[in-house]
Amino acid sequence: LTQVLLGAAVGHATLGARVGRKALFWGAVFGGMPDLDVLISHADEVAAVTHHRGFSHSLLTHTFVAPALGAGLARLHARDGASVMRWILLVWLALTTHALLDATTIYGTQLFWPGSSPPVGLGSIFIIDPIYTLLLLIGVLWAVFARRPAVGRYANGIGLGLSTAYLVAAMLIQAQVRNVAESELARQGAAKDRLIVTPTPFNLVLWRVVAMTPPGYREGYYSLLDATPEVRFEHYSSDESLLSPIEEAPAVQRLRWFTKGFYRVREIDGRIQISDLRMGFEPRYVFSFDVGQQLEGDIRPLVPPQRAPAERPDAEALRWVWKRMLGDRDWDDAD
């Protein structure tokens, strides 16, 4: 929904003055199009998750296909008099803003496919943010129903501008929280390999911090409403040695690349499981995969790898987020 709204807003800002609501429609179409890659079948569940937001989210792909699609729209709506270049720009902006918005979440987006660099995932905004979506929605609906087109264009521009400002604010807050977290880790003398700072579900007030500190990781929280600028970390174990016998397995290598090293390894009922620490919070994680199994005392790759049931936050976990967001540090140690 958010991507469709963003595409509609960008499309209307690009060509609304010339073609009216048609710009909203086509912007929405191309704003949602990159996510159709979920319809592509893959060899296994690891491939399905890690190839999402791949070629269809690549800036190179968008630049390659936009001229053909834009030229087609120009022919379809030739009577409106909009130039081919304007239609091409509409398509290109709708596609690229989709990918760039995805890149601000923690999941990651392969902006530079077919390059082999890890997905870009800034983690500055949660994958669903009601405020960001609402700002876009108000502007787009105003453009749809406004009796005076100029008023609709003005309202859409305001919605697009405010939503963009909201993203910038999220990045600035993230940088502030990162500084607090790094200062706290330095004070504790904790040597970290890498660090991520991401907002908790549906807000920019409470932030989750994960530091990879072998032989495991530390997790902590910081709210903008906390009385003091500090992060209380809890340490959790991860048995990286379990992957040694199967580290050449394609699923293991792919998950290491996809998670950028933010993963937990454990054995459950004879199976070796990798959990992506970026999405979820202790002890619930959305993406966990069984990649190996114990057989006759040896650890061997599990082919094909299997995805474990997602452990999304339940009502009690979301209640914890709300309490902790308000600065209640007594909830730091809640399950």
Side-chain angles (χ1 to χ4, degrees):
L1 173 62
T2 304
Q3 294 288 15
V4 167
L5 288 172
L6 177 59
V10 168
H12 197 257
T14 305
L15 260 182
R18 183 60 64 90
V19 303
R21 294 183 179 90
K22 294 174 185 176
L24 284 168
F25 173 77
W26 287 114
V29 168
F30 291 107
M33 187 172 289
D35 280 340
L36 293 179
D37 66 344
V38 298
L39 302 178
I40 301 173
S41 61
H42 293 278
D44 56 62
E45 292 173 303
V46 168
V49 169
T50 61
H51 283 282
H52 176 47
R53 297 189 182 180
F55 77 94
S56 67
H57 289 60
S58 166
L59 300 180
L60 180 63
T61 300
H62 300 162
T63 302
F64 180 76
V65 303
L69 295 173
L73 289 180
R75 290 182 182 178
L76 181 64
H77 300 294
R79 292 183 179 180
D80 293 316
S83 69
V84 174
M85 290 305 299
R86 278 284 182 174
W87 281 111
I88 292 173
L89 182 63
L90 182 150
V91 173
W92 187 80
L93 286 175
L95 293 172
T96 56
T97 53
H98 176 124
L100 292 173
L101 179 59
D102 275 350
T104 65
T105 68
I106 199 63
Y107 187 101
T109 308
Q110 296 176 50
L111 293 178
F112 306 112
W113 181 94
S116 59
S117 59
V120 178
L122 302 181
S124 51
I125 193 169
F126 191 68
I127 193 170
I128 300 174
D129 190 296
I131 295 178
Y132 178 81
T133 303
L134 184 61
L135 291 171
L136 287 172
L137 179 63
I138 292 173
V140 168
L141 287 180
W142 209 310
V144 170
F145 294 108
R147 293 183 179 181
R148 296 172 57 187
V151 173
R153 292 195 300 273
Y154 181 72
N156 179 67
I158 291 177
L160 190 57
L162 289 177
S163 61
T164 303
Y166 185 80
L167 283 179
V168 173
M171 295 176 188
L172 294 176
I173 295 170
Q174 182 186 36
Q176 173 194 346
V177 177
R178 187 180 186 91
N179 287 336
V180 172
E182 290 182 334
S183 297
E184 184 65 19
L185 287 169
R187 188 187 68 80
Q188 296 178 7
K192 67 179 188 305
D193 281 349
R194 53 190 69 88
L195 176 75
I196 55 170
V197 176
T198 61
T200 54
F202 318 128
N203 74 98
L204 290 182
V205 178
L206 179 62
W207 293 74
R208 174 175 177 258
V209 181
V210 177
M212 301 306 296
T213 55
Y217 55 96
R218 299 188 183 207
E219 180 188 63
Y221 294 87
Y222 177 74
S223 171
L224 301 183
L225 302 179
D226 284 347
T228 56
E230 62 180 11
V231 181
R232 298 179 185 175
F233 286 99
E234 292 290 331
H235 186 269
Y236 300 94
S237 61
S238 176
D239 192 352
E240 183 76 17
S241 65
L242 292 171
L243 296 181
S244 296
I246 57 172
E247 60 183 0
E248 298 302 321
V252 172
Q253 293 186 346
R254 187 70 180 177
L255 287 172
R256 280 175 165 169
W257 171 83
F258 177 68
T259 63
K260 304 177 188 176
F262 290 96
Y263 61 85
R264 175 189 66 191
V265 185
R266 61 179 180 174
E267 180 183 350
I268 301 178
D269 298 329
R271 291 197 169 190
I272 311 305
Q273 185 179 94
I274 295 178
S275 296
D276 188 336
L277 296 175
R278 302 171 303 158
M279 285 164 279
F281 46 86
E282 197 66 32
R284 306 169 185 87
Y285 293 104
V286 177
F287 294 116
S288 295
F289 299 90
D290 295 333
V291 296
Q293 58 185 337
Q294 292 270 10
L295 290 175
E296 300 176 355
D298 295 328
I299 297 177
R300 302 178 185 178
L302 183 63
V303 181
Q306 298 178 7
R307 182 177 172 182
E311 298 177 297
R312 292 182 173 85
D314 55 17
E316 180 62 24
L318 293 177
R319 180 168 170 260
W320 175 87
V321 168
W322 175 255
K323 289 284 188 179
R324 183 63 188 83
M325 182 174 62
L326 296 178
D328 187 350
R329 287 189 178 271
D330 291 338
W331 287 69
D332 267 346
D333 300 326
D335 289 334

